[in-house]
Amino acid sequence: MATAPARAISPQQAADLVTSGMWLDYGAGLCQPDLFDRALGARICELSNVKIRHCLTMRPRAVLDADPGGEHVHVFSLHFSGYDRKKHDEGRCHYIPVNLGEIPNYYRRFMAPADIVVVKTCPMDENGDFNLSAANLWHRAIVERAHTVIVETNRRLPYVHGEQTGLHASEVDFVIEGDDGPAPELPNPPIRDVDA
């Protein structure tokens, strides 16, 4: 966890912090990083046994596309999205059976601390907080034990109000300025006769 003020870092510099054997955490849903993922994907074949925990992946992950044989990276999901399930069926994504309400406790007591956690957030606000947007789940518990905390900002994420909805700048080691791309959306399936 951070002890000095967060400093700006490029996605490539952030990906260069990853070494073989590390546990990474990509967070969940809207919070999963895109620029960092692409930068790590560009160098994943230089590494071995990189392990990434995540939940509800909403976009294809560059790190998996860059390692189609699964020789360098292993991913573990706390809850499958359609994409995660497809990767599981290909033998590329492993499921961690958990009860949703117990996940913060798992992170605090049972799971290996993340060497690096990288999550997408809103830019820092006037109080020095990086809002976790609509994906605020158990990220506080991940950050409490993580060795390095990186946020990838995105101005297009919705700002969410409430308790413990963000990370203070004092908890963040590095900030990747994002590309402000649109947040991922799950498409509505076509209406079938039975739905009508």
Side-chain angles (χ1 to χ4, degrees):
M1 180 130 58
T3 55
R7 64 184 178 97
I9 193 171
S10 72
Q12 293 75 22
Q13 290 170 319
D16 285 344
L17 298 174
V18 179
T19 59
S20 294
M22 278 190 166
W23 270 105
L24 309 183
D25 205 296
Y26 271 18
L30 296 180
C31 274
Q32 289 191 11
D34 293 316
L35 299 181
F36 174 84
D37 178 61
R38 288 195 290 270
L40 182 58
R43 67 174 297 253
I44 197 63
C45 292
E46 303 168 13
L47 305 169
S48 63
N49 198 31
V50 174
K51 302 165 292 287
I52 302 173
R53 279 187 297 250
H54 62 75
C55 179
L56 290 170
T57 302
M58 297 180 70
R59 284 194 170 120
R61 294 290 99 199
V63 73
L64 288 176
D65 292 344
D67 181 26
E71 299 172 29
H72 306 276
V73 64
H74 310 281
V75 295
F76 301 84
S77 178
L78 298 162
H79 188 76
F80 282 167
S81 64
Y83 173 82
D84 297 327
R85 189 171 305 284
K86 179 182 174 191
K87 290 302 173 185
H88 171 268
D89 293 347
E90 295 171 2
R92 299 301 321 280
C93 182
H94 309 281
Y95 176 65
I96 302 174
V98 292
N99 292 317
L100 182 69
E102 297 175 351
I103 292 174
N105 195 37
Y106 294 157
Y107 270 103
R108 289 183 177 114
R109 298 180 56 207
F110 305 119
M111 293 182 177
D115 293 297
I116 301 175
V117 57
V118 188
V119 292
K120 193 179 290 187
T121 67
C122 297
M124 187 171 70
D125 65 19
E126 64 278 0
N127 298 317
D129 292 317
F130 293 93
N131 188 272
L132 290 165
S133 188
N136 181 34
L137 296 167
W138 43 80
H139 297 89
R140 297 247 22 107
I142 302 169
V143 168
E144 287 172 13
R145 296 184 61 216
H147 300 293
T148 301
V149 178
I150 302 173
V151 298
E152 179 179 306
T153 62
N154 185 313
R155 287 176 174 76
R156 293 176 73 176
L157 289 179
Y159 190 95
V160 174
H161 296 275
E163 291 186 34
Q164 298 184 348
T165 57
L167 306 176
H168 190 267
S170 63
E171 301 174 283
V172 175
D173 296 293
F174 300 103
V175 178
I176 298 170
E177 185 173 341
D179 60 2
D180 298 331
E185 293 182 40
L186 295 177
N188 286 323
I191 296 175
R192 301 170 297 165
D193 289 342
V194 69
D195 298 322

